[in-house]
Amino acid sequence: EESAMSDVRAVSTREDAIDALNKGEGFKFDPNLTSIDLKSRYFDYESDQGSQLVASALQAENKVDTIVLSSNWIKPSGMTLLAEAFSGHPVVSLDLWNNALEDEGMETLANAFSGSKTLSKLNVATNQIGPQGIVAFAEKLLAGNSSLTWLRLSSNKAGTQGALAIA
């Protein structure tokens, strides 16, 4: 496994990462890269392959702390793959706008960042998240994360229960 990761190419630009995603090839982030923007690639439309590739890249040693994964059709199963990579990784800003996380994916995300002292910006707008996911988020992430200063939850289905949980 160790040698397999050393054989994948290091990407230092959005274009390099997109090329690897489009080809379904493993990659790792350049050691000096601190942010990656992979928005609007729809890499999980048919499967979770894109989430798996990004998760593997994040699990290798890197300095990436700003991650944009908006508009990629990330579903709860894809979030499960990514959450393992996020957990323990010093993510400062995460943009997951316009995916398909739903309640299950939001709960998985909240568990991954529960107790995080680095996450300060989170965008999970337009993800089909209902009251159950919002409540789990409030209980697991908001309660234990003193560093979160910017949050976007708009265009979800929070309902009264979800709204009260984050109030």
Side-chain angles (χ1 to χ4, degrees), residues 23 26 153:
K23 292 177 179 176
L153 281 167

Side-chain angles (χ1 to χ4, degrees), residues 42-45 47-48 51 69-80 82 95-109 123-130 155-157:
Y42 303 99
F43 57 60
D44 274 2
Y45 182 71
S47 72
D48 295 325
S51 287
L69 298 174
S70 58
S71 296
N72 282 305
W73 286 90
I74 299 170
K75 299 173 280 305
S77 53
M79 182 49 58
T80 298
L82 290 165
D95 186 345
L96 291 165
W97 172 79
N98 195 33
N99 281 290
L101 299 183
E102 301 174 344
D103 289 341
E104 183 185 344
M106 187 61 170
E107 290 177 48
T108 302
L109 180 67
N123 184 355
V124 288
T126 316
N127 267 285
Q128 305 164 26
I129 303 165
S155 299
N156 284 298
K157 302 175 269 181

Side-chain angles (χ1 to χ4, degrees), residues 126-140:
T126 316
N127 267 285
Q128 305 164 26
I129 303 165
Q132 180 183 337
I134 301 295
V135 169
F137 168 78
E139 290 174 351
K140 301 240 171 87

